[in-house]
């Protein structure tokens, strides 16, 4: 009955040429609820006896693919597995974990299969954490127990790192170097430099067309203050992501206009439809859209703990300088990571891309929505120490906020940096005392003689009023 109503509604909608979106939950529910003989397969679940955690020491496994003779597994963040195995085809049906020196892969049929990691003693740990393929190839995942059919232990070898797609249309060189200007150059200096270079490298004067196009594209970004800001914060990927977001908005506005155009102007309810469309279009106000795009493409808030010594807590500090290690994009190193200035640059934080989400519908397997998928970035990043001045109140509590700075988070290709909340961490490495609420604790090493006969000890802590 529900399916018949749905098809009738769809047919009516087709005659009227109106468009509407069916919620993914409805489409999946219509199949999963038993319609057309449905009832989806059950995914893997972790038994209570197994630890499903991915420990920080195994972060290098995230977004890597491993292949055996008959199987292949892509280990995603949050413990999900992508695999061509039929039992893994519904998203989220296969799982993985890594802790206590081993890797676990959990599928609905095979259940939990445990692997030990071989070859770790051969690798450069820093390069491995950076997911350099030359180091990953030295490592294998070997089953703890031999196969019942062959009597041999199965092995998974490294296949690839799941990287963001290379976009040929997107320039990868440093735009400032293309125009030969400083990063803090005035807009007038950028325009002047562009005019000279565009004449010098124009194809009509024997210049290289690719060089000329790079110069033109660099100028189109750096000449626009907003696009320049986006490039400085998140590279060319952020500039492209904002452009795509605006195109989506224009497409939504065009759909609303198309819906109104389907209604004859002499229709008695035309004015009512027009008012409804105009009301919906008000959400596309430029300031409102810019704010929503910023929120959509912004990284999450980052909390950074600032060590505060016992004396600083006792006296308070009007201006304490804390050096925040901020990840910054190495511009131009995506094009050639072997350049001398790129040697200290490692892999950037992963990028998140929108990919189709599939589900079973009355019409077969179709796209029912979009989901975010994490992929390793091709850009390179390095850490830069940024000095931040904070004020420390007397007796500041653990975790209390010292300062919040917008757009100060780590740079991620394609994203606006999030805000950073600097918070109190009571105690520092220099302290000889451990802070516990209102008390101070320390470990005092004494001799056997002192332990037997007793002693007196005067401890001093610097508390200057």
């Amino acid at each position: 009955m529900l399916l018949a109503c749905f098809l009738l509604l769809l047919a009516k909608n087709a005659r009227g040429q109106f468009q509407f979106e069916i919620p993914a939950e409805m489409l999946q529910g219509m199949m999963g609820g038993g319609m057309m003989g449905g009832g989806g397969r059950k995914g893997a679940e972790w038994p209570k006896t197994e630890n499903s955690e991915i420990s920080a020491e195994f972060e290098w496994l995230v977004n890597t693919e491993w292949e055996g003779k008959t199987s292949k597994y892509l280990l995603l963040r949050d413990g999900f597995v992508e695999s061509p195995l039929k039992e893994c085809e519904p998203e989220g049906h296969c799982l993985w974990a890594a802790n206590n020196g081993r890797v676990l892969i959990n599928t609905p049929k095979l259940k939990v299969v445990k692997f030990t990691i071989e070859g770790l003693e051969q690798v450069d740990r820093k390069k491995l954490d950076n997911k350099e393929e030359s180091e990953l190839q030295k490592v294998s995942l070997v089953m703890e127990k031999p196969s019942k059919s062959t009597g041999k232990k199965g092995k998974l070898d490294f296949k690839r790192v799941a990287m963001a797609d290379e976009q040929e249309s997107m320039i990868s060189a440093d735009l400032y170097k293309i125009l030969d200007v400083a990063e803090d150059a005035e807009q007038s200096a950028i325009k002047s430099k562009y005019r000279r270079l565009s004449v010098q490298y124009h194809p009509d004067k024997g210049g290289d067309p690719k060089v000329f196009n790079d110069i033109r594209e660099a100028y189109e970004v750096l000449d626009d203050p907003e696009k320049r800001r986006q490039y400085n914060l998140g590279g060319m990927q952020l500039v492209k992501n904002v452009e795509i977001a605006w195109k989506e908005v224009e497409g939504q506005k065009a759909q609303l206009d198309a819906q109104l155009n389907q209604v004859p102007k002499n229709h008695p309810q035309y004015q009512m439809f027009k008012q409804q469309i105009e009301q919906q279009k008000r959400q596309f106000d430029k300031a409102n859209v810019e704010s929503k795009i910023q929120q959509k493409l912004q990284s999450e808030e980052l909390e950074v703990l600032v060590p505060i010594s016992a004396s600083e807590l006792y006296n308070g500090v009007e201006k304490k300088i804390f050096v925040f290690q901020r990840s910054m994009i190495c511009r131009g190193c995506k094009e050639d990571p072997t350049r001398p200035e790129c040697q200290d640059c490692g892999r950037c934080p992963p990028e998140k891309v929108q990919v189709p989400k599939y589900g079973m519908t009355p019409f077969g397997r179709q796209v029912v929505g979009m989901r975010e998928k994490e992929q390793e970035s091709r850009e390179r990043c390095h850490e830069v120490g940024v000095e931040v001045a904070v004020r420390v109140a007397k007796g500041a509590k653990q975790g209390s906020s010292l300062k919040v700075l917008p757009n100060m988070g780590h740079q991620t290709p394609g994203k606006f940096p999030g805000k950073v909340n600097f918070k109190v961490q009571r105690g520092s490495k220099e302290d000889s005392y451990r802070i516990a609420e209102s008390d101070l604790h320390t470990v005092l090493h004494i001799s056997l003689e002192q332990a037997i006969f007793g002693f007196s000890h005067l401890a001093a802590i610097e508390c200057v009023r």
Side-chain angles (χ1 to χ4, degrees), residues 145-248:
K145 295 181 179 179
S147 169
K148 292 181 180 179
S149 57
T150 64
K152 296 181 180 179
K153 291 185 178 181
K155 186 173 75 166
L156 299 176
D157 293 315
F158 170 74
K159 179 71 174 176
R160 68 183 179 96
V161 176
M163 302 287 288
D165 293 335
E166 187 69 71
Q167 300 184 37
E168 294 182 3
S169 61
M170 193 166 67
I171 194 167
S172 56
D174 185 346
L175 302 190
Y176 289 100
K177 288 188 177 179
I178 289 174
L179 294 183
D180 192 24
V181 293
E183 293 186 20
D184 58 353
E186 299 287 339
Q187 294 297 126
S188 57
I190 291 174
K191 182 171 296 214
S192 175
K193 194 71 176 183
Y194 167 70
R195 286 174 177 169
R196 288 202 300 271
L197 292 175
S198 61
V199 171
Q200 181 181 347
Y201 290 98
H202 199 285
D204 292 347
K205 296 190 176 183
D208 185 335
K210 184 183 182 306
V211 174
F212 177 76
N213 287 334
D214 286 350
I215 291 169
R216 185 181 60 186
E217 186 171 349
Y219 177 69
E220 287 175 356
V221 173
L222 299 184
D223 183 55
D224 183 318
E226 179 56 26
K227 287 186 177 180
R228 183 179 179 183
R229 182 182 80 91
Q230 295 162 11
Y231 177 71
N232 289 343
L233 293 175
M236 275 303 297
Q237 187 62 58
L238 179 56
V239 177
K240 293 295 181 184
N241 286 352
V242 173
E243 287 179 357
I244 291 170
W246 274 107
K247 286 178 181 177
E248 289 177 359

Side-chain angles (χ1 to χ4, degrees), residues 81-104:
V81 173
E82 277 189 9
S83 172
L85 292 175
K86 265 194 171 181
E87 56 186 316
C88 294
E89 277 183 4
E91 294 163 6
H93 272 48
C94 290
L95 310 171
W96 76 283
N99 51 71
N100 298 318
R102 59 188 183 178
V103 177
L104 296 78

Side-chain angles (χ1 to χ4, degrees), residues 15-38:
R15 288 197 296 272
Q17 296 185 18
F18 281 95
Q19 296 181 350
F20 68 99
E21 184 177 347
I22 308 164
E25 295 80 4
M26 181 187 295
L27 286 174
Q28 292 171 327
M30 291 170 70
M31 295 305 295
M35 292 195 61
M36 300 175 68

Side-chain angles (χ1 to χ4, degrees), residues 19-147:
Q19 296 181 350
F20 68 99
E21 184 177 347
I22 308 164
E25 295 80 4
M26 181 187 295
L27 286 174
Q28 292 171 327
M30 291 170 70
M31 295 305 295
M35 292 195 61
M36 300 175 68
R41 293 193 296 266
K42 190 176 181 181
E45 295 180 353
W46 288 109
K48 293 180 179 179
T49 55
E50 298 296 347
N51 184 353
S52 61
E53 178 189 10
I54 300 173
S55 301
E57 63 181 304
F58 294 110
E59 175 71 18
W60 55 272
L61 283 166
V62 175
N63 295 329
T64 60
E65 188 173 71
W66 301 80
E67 187 175 40
K69 288 185 177 180
T70 59
S71 56
K72 188 162 57 175
Y73 304 99
L74 175 58
L75 310 180
L76 302 176
R77 192 172 297 281
D78 299 328
F80 294 116
V81 173
E82 277 189 9
S83 172
L85 292 175
K86 265 194 171 181
E87 56 186 316
C88 294
E89 277 183 4
E91 294 163 6
H93 272 48
C94 290
L95 310 171
W96 76 283
N99 51 71
N100 298 318
R102 59 188 183 178
V103 177
L104 296 78
I105 295 179
N106 189 359
T107 69
K109 287 185 179 179
L110 298 174
K111 302 303 180 184
V112 179
V113 181
K114 301 174 183 178
F115 297 83
T116 56
I117 305 173
E118 291 189 356
L120 280 178
E121 68 281 354
Q122 307 172 35
V123 302
D124 181 317
R125 188 68 202 199
K126 185 176 180 181
K127 291 181 179 179
L128 183 70
D129 290 339
N130 203 30
K131 299 183 185 177
E132 293 193 13
E133 296 196 357
S134 59
E135 298 304 307
L136 286 162
Q137 287 166 355
K138 299 175 182 177
V139 179
S140 297
L141 308 182
V142 181
M143 290 175 61
E144 287 188 352
K145 295 181 179 179
S147 169

